[in-house]
Amino acid sequence: MQVFIIGATGGVGSHLRKRLVQAGHQVKGSCRRDAQADELRADGVTPVNLDLMTTSSEKLAEAMRGCDTVVFTAGAAGAGIELTDGIDGRGCKFAAEAARLAGIKRFLLVSAFPEAGRAKKISPTFEHYMQVKKQADVMLAATALEWVILRPGTLVNEPGTGKVRIGLAIPYGTVPREDVAAVLHSLVEQPEVKRVILELTTGEQPVNDAVGEIKRYSGQ
């Protein structure tokens, strides 16, 4: 398949791009700096220089054209309200509209687990971030795209285990970024899973088995 990753240089995107290329897929990845473009090329990814803060749906659509799937795993990573609005909010909306304009049906969005941080004192910035993520979910779910919204628990940098728990509603927990990438990889290769919101944490089930079982939730 041909996959367009928005956020290909991020924590999850870095793992995902390598997995997809190793599996034989053709991958395009967004980046903002020349050094990042060099990193993408080194991994066999075609770099696309764009900034979600300044791009448009039309520019994104031109870059995406010819791809089969869009994966949106970009995020402001707590860098402030302006960047959260521009990347997690407007950027996601631009990307969904770009996919439509480019004739791409499948769109995978990395969102946020609803209970994230709820056991701690919540800052206004984090509360705003969660609101923007939910608004992006609502926006995408209202489109005619064949979307999947993936809500991982708190992301950690520990090595992936290859075993996860996925469901419509599951207990809150953590999950390695590497395992989130593995789930996205599996979703790319199992397009029957669509129009479903999934929660994800570390678990006991192999990734491909866990994703395969989700087909019953999406009417397959």
Side-chain angles (χ1 to χ4, degrees):
M1 296 182 186
Q2 297 188 51
V3 182
F4 193 97
I5 304 176
I6 300 176
T9 61
V12 172
S14 296
H15 288 294
L16 178 61
R17 75 192 194 214
K18 293 174 183 178
R19 292 184 63 97
L20 291 174
V21 170
Q22 290 170 1
H25 300 292
Q26 296 179 27
V27 181
K28 289 184 177 180
S30 67
C31 62
R32 291 185 296 168
R33 297 187 293 274
D34 290 341
Q36 292 174 320
D38 291 340
E39 293 175 8
L40 293 178
R41 290 191 191 94
D43 285 339
V45 176
T46 301
V48 177
N49 287 84
L50 61 86
D51 188 339
L52 286 176
M53 296 293 290
T54 59
T55 192
S56 66
S57 295
E58 290 75 18
K59 290 179 181 178
L60 266 174
E62 187 60 33
M64 291 176 181
R65 210 168 301 279
C67 291
D68 305 294
T69 301
V70 174
V71 180
F72 191 100
T73 183
I81 289 177
E82 182 179 357
L83 284 174
T84 296
D85 287 344
I87 297 174
D88 300 89
R90 291 191 303 274
C92 186
K93 184 175 181 179
F94 289 157
E97 175 62 10
R100 185 190 69 81
L101 291 173
I104 303 168
K105 293 183 178 180
R106 189 147 173 80
F107 194 107
L108 309 180
L109 170 64
V110 178
S111 184
F113 206 106
E115 286 80 19
R118 295 310 182 199
K120 303 176 183 179
K121 184 177 180 181
I122 303 299
S123 70
T125 300
F126 185 78
E127 189 64 45
H128 180 76
Y129 164 79
M130 293 299 289
Q131 291 172 357
V132 171
K133 298 299 282 188
K134 179 58 181 291
Q135 290 165 2
D137 292 354
V138 172
M139 176 279 302
L140 183 61
T143 70
L145 298 172
E146 294 179 355
W147 51 264
V148 176
I149 296 170
L150 185 66
R151 294 175 172 172
T154 296
L155 301 175
V156 296
N157 286 322
E158 300 168 4
T161 66
K163 293 185 177 182
V164 296
R165 181 172 182 177
I166 304 176
L168 302 181
I170 62 175
Y172 175 63
T174 63
V175 61
R177 288 175 169 84
E178 189 174 357
D179 283 337
V180 178
V183 170
L184 290 168
H185 179 189
S186 187
L187 285 168
V188 166
E189 295 182 347
Q190 299 192 59
E192 303 90 346
V193 180
K194 57 188 176 184
R195 302 189 67 82
V196 63
I197 299 175
L198 303 172
E199 295 181 351
L200 168 67
T201 64
T202 293
E204 300 297 328
Q205 194 169 25
V207 167
N208 284 337
D209 293 346
V211 172
E213 285 192 3
I214 298 302
K215 292 177 184 178
R216 69 178 186 271
Y217 298 145
S218 51
Q220 302 302 315

